[in-house]
């Protein structure tokens, strides 16, 4: 099943590479106002809609659809976790939970939810750096391929690199799927 994400004001802004501050400056409003638009708390005025349409190259109907998607996403998000739980713990316990959440690249709430949701939460320390390194290796291989196609260099022997990368991905998938 393919899930198609509907465009929201936040996704449009991020696609354009704009921060909330930058968009706020362009529209002549506060950053807090942009936050309220993106979280479906406030609907932009007609004047702001016109400016948003120009910034994102959208017709009025398309922009109205994006705003509707934004409001719907906010409603869905608020219905996803309608209940609140709070509990008391020692400072040591909180520090451990917070440290684990940081290692998992999650907020404390996300970490507790995911841990309780029934599955085992596996935190791999250093995975983010490892992933960046693999991305850099991939980028370098792509650049080598481009240079080969341009005829600027002769095709290097990459069979051993491919074998090593394949082994890394297999081992990583085994760790993640445990």
């Amino acid at each position: 099943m393919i899930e198609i994400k509907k465009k929201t004001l936040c996704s449009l802004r991020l696609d354009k590479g704009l921060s909330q501050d930058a968009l706020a400056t362009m529209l002549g409003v506060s950053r807090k106002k942009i936050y309220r638009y993106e979280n479906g708390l406030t609907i932009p005025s007609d004047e702001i809609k016109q400016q948003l349409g120009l910034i994102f190259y959208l017709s009025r109907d398309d922009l109205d659809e994006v705003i509707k998607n934004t409001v719907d996403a906010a409603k869905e998000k608020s219905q996803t976790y309608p209940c609140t739980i709070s509990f008391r713990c020692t400072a040591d316990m909180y520090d451990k939970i917070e440290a684990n959440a940081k290692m998992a690249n999650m907020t404390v709430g996300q970490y507790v939810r995911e841990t309780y949701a029934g599955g085992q939460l596996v935190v791999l320390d250093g995975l983010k750096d490892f992933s960046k390194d693999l991305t850099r290796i991939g980028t370098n291989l792509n650049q080598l391929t481009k240079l080969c196609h341009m005829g600027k260099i002769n095709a290097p022997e990459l069979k051993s690199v491919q074998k090593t990368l394949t082994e890394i991905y297999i081992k990583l998938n085994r760790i993640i799927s445990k």
Side-chain angles (χ1 to χ4, degrees):
M1 175 192 237
I2 297 174
E3 183 180 324
I4 298 173
K5 284 199 166 191
K6 295 181 178 179
K7 288 288 186 184
T8 61
L9 288 172
C10 181
S11 66
L12 287 176
R13 176 180 59 77
L14 293 174
D15 288 348
K16 274 279 195 195
L18 296 171
S19 67
Q20 285 184 337
D21 285 325
L23 184 58
T25 301
M26 293 170 83
L27 295 173
V29 298
S30 67
R31 189 208 52 78
K32 187 174 182 178
K33 194 76 147 174
I34 300 300
Y35 171 86
R36 294 183 62 75
Y37 294 155
E38 289 183 356
N39 287 285
L41 303 171
T42 305
I43 303 296
S45 67
D46 288 340
E47 181 183 329
I48 297 294
K49 283 182 185 179
Q50 184 177 8
Q51 290 175 308
L52 286 169
L54 292 172
I55 291 168
F56 298 124
Y57 306 109
L58 294 174
S59 68
R60 180 63 181 251
D61 291 338
D62 289 342
L63 184 60
D64 285 340
E65 181 69 24
V66 167
I67 292 170
K68 180 186 176 306
N69 293 342
T70 301
V71 171
D72 290 347
K75 284 179 186 174
E76 184 178 312
K77 185 177 179 182
S78 68
Q79 291 173 356
T80 304
Y81 302 113
C83 301
T84 301
I85 291 179
S86 63
F87 63 94
R88 300 182 71 68
C89 62
T90 65
D92 276 350
M93 188 184 294
Y94 184 81
D95 290 343
K96 286 178 185 176
I97 293 170
E98 188 176 41
N100 287 341
K102 282 183 182 175
M103 278 199 318
N105 199 23
M106 296 177 165
T107 65
V108 171
Q110 287 172 318
Y111 178 78
V112 171
R113 270 194 308 272
E114 292 297 322
T115 303
Y116 183 76
Q120 181 183 7
L121 189 63
V122 177
V123 177
L124 300 175
D125 193 25
L127 185 61
K128 198 172 194 176
D129 294 332
F130 180 72
S131 178
K132 284 181 184 177
D133 289 342
L134 282 179
T135 301
R136 288 183 188 121
I137 291 169
T139 301
N140 290 341
L141 290 173
N142 284 339
Q143 290 173 347
L144 280 173
T145 303
K146 286 180 185 178
L147 291 172
C148 288
H149 285 294
M150 289 182 201
K152 293 187 177 187
I153 62 171
N154 292 329
E157 177 55 44
L158 298 176
K159 291 281 186 200
S160 62
V161 175
Q162 181 183 10
K163 182 181 176 191
T164 304
L165 282 174
T166 302
E167 289 172 3
I168 290 170
Y169 281 115
I170 289 170
K171 289 177 182 176
L172 186 60
N173 280 326
R174 283 184 188 150
I175 291 170
I176 291 173
S177 62
K178 284 184 179 182

